[in-house]
Amino acid sequence: MTSQMQKEQYMRRAIELAKSAIGHTHPNPLVGCVVVKDGRIISEACHERYGEYHAERNALMRCTKDTKGAELYVTLEPCCHQGKTPPCTDIIIEKGISRVYVGSGDPNPKVAGKGYQILRSHGIEVEEGILEKECLEMNEIFFHYITTNRPLVAMKYAMTLDGKIATYSGSSQWITGEQSREHVHYLRKKYCAIMAGIGTVLADNPMLNCRIQDGVDPVRIICDTHLRIHIDSNIVKTSGNIPTIIACDENILAEGSTEENSVRNMQGGTLQGTTQRTIQNTIQNTTQKIQFLKEKGIKLIGVPLNSSDGQIDMKMLIERLGSEEKIDSILVEGGGTINASLIEQRLVDKVYCYIAPKIVGGRDSKTPVEGQGIALMKNALTFTNGTIKTFGEDVLLEYDVENKRR
């Protein structure tokens, strides 16, 4: 009989395998699987990439030993429906697995307990809840997305001890140390997309990519109401290699589509190969700019404006990113303006706050959340499930929004 300690040991290995695919499975969950027979692991695998076989099928197909009577440990309830790949319950039954130990259930309505039911109906013992807390935490993004059809939105910022994200002159590099900045790149790998406002793009000319070993670049989402982005910015110049979305006023795109496009007459109908100076001299209106950005591989999304502040409707944008673009999670690395908009509309689900042991002062120094703010303390957005980590001399506070949409 397998002891509880052994069950948890095998499940920890399954979790470790699952996490090895971070950044590659969106919008699918992270799943790891371990096959055990006679007290030894005879095969193991994870769900490696979206659209490819799931962890259970990978582990069982790659197994070179006889699996009849073996135990299977998997971090998520086995699927039982035909999607991009066949049901995992089928191969578990086919390979003669006798017991299945599961970390957490799958809230997907197509699964949601049906996987357990099918296995048990074929005489396979199923035990649920092995290291359930760890498995739930690992797939926080998936559980949120599958139940709301909206991406999990995490707001990240670095600030000084006196709550400033930049000095009065706009200087912000670097607030935190190297270890904190490396952790940010881990988050960029973990989250499907990264969002920034045009103010940040114009001020810092960032790449918004992932610069760690085995990193995965997130989809870049730039909130640019009036389409002010510079055509020679790092975002535009690298958009052929990194998926990039610019969200702007829907009226800009509507007006641009009705105007005569003169840019296509250049060099066979595109601007590829044209010198930067020629481009600057040629792009004289919004229509040409739209065409140029599209030819660079950038996806433009038109969004209605809020009547209150004249900026794009963030709630509508977030909903569209989830339902139409299948983006399950967004790491927001904008400034105080975009953070304020997300907070005011209650669109934030999680916060990563890096604090550096510095003080800069100044009433005009930038703060993480600007806007008008909340009038009464009782109406403040509150957080829960706090954790504290240290990176050198810096501190990271990580919180979930209390009573979030999930």
Side-chain angles (χ1 to χ4, degrees):
M1 190 71 177
T2 307
S3 69
Q4 186 65 27
M5 183 179 297
Q6 289 173 312
K7 294 174 189 176
E8 293 182 0
Q9 175 186 343
Y10 294 133
M11 190 61 72
R12 283 195 180 89
R13 176 56 184 161
I15 291 172
E16 183 180 358
L17 290 164
K19 289 182 177 180
S20 70
I22 284 176
H24 295 287
T25 66
H26 300 290
N28 280 359
L30 296 166
V31 184
C33 178
V34 172
V35 184
V36 177
K37 188 171 184 179
D38 299 327
R40 293 177 59 250
I41 295 177
I42 60 173
S43 188
E44 59 182 27
C46 68
H47 175 41
E48 295 166 355
R49 291 182 185 276
Y50 174 71
E52 297 182 4
Y53 286 140
H54 294 178
E56 302 95 306
R57 189 166 289 273
N58 278 336
L60 292 171
M61 287 177 60
R62 297 170 186 174
C63 186
T64 59
K65 307 290 185 182
D66 180 13
T67 58
K68 188 174 179 61
E71 300 175 342
L72 184 142
Y73 294 79
V74 62
T75 56
L76 187 71
E77 178 182 359
C79 69
C80 54
H81 64 287
Q82 177 68 47
K84 290 183 178 294
T85 60
C88 290
T89 49
D90 285 2
I91 196 168
I92 292 172
I93 295 165
E94 174 191 329
K95 293 293 185 177
I97 299 299
S98 63
R99 295 184 185 85
V100 174
Y101 297 97
V102 183
S104 66
D106 187 340
N108 185 340
K110 295 179 180 179
V111 185
K114 300 182 185 71
Y116 297 146
Q117 183 179 350
I118 288 173
L119 294 176
R120 286 170 175 145
S121 69
H122 283 79
I124 299 173
E125 295 181 29
V126 178
E127 183 175 338
E128 307 168 38
I130 308 297
L131 296 184
E132 183 177 31
K133 181 176 181 291
E134 291 88 337
C135 292
L136 289 171
E137 289 176 351
M138 177 177 67
N139 274 317
E140 176 186 32
I141 288 171
F142 170 73
F143 293 138
H144 176 92
Y145 182 64
I146 201 69
T147 55
T148 66
N149 201 34
R150 296 171 71 167
L152 186 147
V153 177
M155 190 171 77
K156 167 263 163 187
Y157 55 88
M159 69 180 191
T160 58
L161 288 174
D162 53 338
K164 309 296 185 180
I165 63 172
T167 67
Y168 73 89
S169 67
S171 173
S172 62
Q173 295 183 349
W174 295 100
I175 293 175
T176 54
E178 187 174 340
Q179 292 181 41
S180 293
R181 298 199 298 274
E182 184 173 353
H183 185 259
V184 169
H185 284 279
Y186 164 76
L187 294 180
R188 290 184 181 184
K189 178 181 179 180
K190 175 180 177 180
Y191 284 81
C192 177
I194 183 170
M195 177 181 285
I198 187 59
T200 297
V201 173
L202 294 176
D204 300 336
N205 193 24
M207 286 283 288
L208 300 180
N209 60 346
C210 181
R211 299 188 292 276
I212 56 174
Q213 187 175 3
D214 300 322
V216 181
D217 289 328
V219 177
R220 300 179 302 193
I221 303 166
I222 310 302
C223 298
D224 185 5
T225 302
H226 305 294
L227 208 58
R228 294 189 293 146
I229 192 166
H230 293 165
I231 61 173
D232 60 348
S233 65
N234 285 329
I235 295 292
V236 174
K237 287 193 290 188
T238 58
S239 57
N241 298 319
I242 305 175
T244 304
I245 295 171
I246 295 179
C248 63
D249 177 4
E250 62 181 0
N251 293 317
I252 290 178
L253 299 186
E255 292 167 5
S257 66
T258 61
E259 296 178 8
E260 185 68 27
N261 191 341
S262 62
V263 181
R264 280 195 176 277
N265 294 326
M266 299 184 59
Q267 298 205 355
T270 72
L271 290 174
Q272 303 304 316
T274 309
T275 66
Q276 207 56 238
R277 181 182 297 276
T278 302
I279 292 171
Q280 290 284 12
N281 292 336
T282 303
I283 295 182
Q284 299 172 354
N285 60 47
T286 302
T287 302
Q288 292 173 338
K289 190 173 191 178
I290 290 171
Q291 180 61 35
F292 176 75
L293 295 175
K294 287 181 177 179
E295 289 184 3
K296 281 292 187 179
I298 294 173
K299 183 165 189 175
L300 299 174
I301 296 180
V303 185
L305 302 185
N306 279 323
S307 57
S308 58
D309 59 9
Q311 301 298 313
I312 58 175
D313 187 321
M314 295 301 294
K315 182 177 181 181
M316 184 167 291
L317 173 60
I318 295 296
E319 290 176 348
R320 286 183 59 181
L321 291 171
S323 61
E324 298 177 16
E325 304 300 325
K326 304 305 178 186
I327 289 175
D328 64 5
S329 53
I330 301 171
L331 181 67
V332 181
E333 289 196 38
T337 300
I338 193 171
N339 289 347
S341 181
L342 291 166
I343 289 290
E344 287 167 5
Q345 296 186 55
R346 295 298 195 264
L347 296 171
V348 175
D349 301 293
K350 196 176 190 72
V351 165
Y352 297 95
C353 172
Y354 297 84
I355 304 176
K358 300 175 181 178
I359 291 180
V360 299
R363 78 179 81 185
D364 296 324
S365 298
K366 300 294 185 180
T367 59
V369 183
E370 297 179 356
Q372 182 176 353
I374 293 170
L376 300 176
M377 188 58 70
K378 66 179 182 180
N379 295 328
L381 192 62
T382 55
F383 297 81
T384 187
N385 299 330
T387 62
I388 301 174
K389 298 176 183 177
T390 58
F391 297 99
E393 294 296 318
D394 302 330
V395 175
L396 168 62
L397 304 180
E398 181 180 336
Y399 285 96
D400 294 329
V401 170
E402 194 172 38
N403 300 319
K404 58 183 175 181
R405 295 187 303 267
R406 188 193 321 165

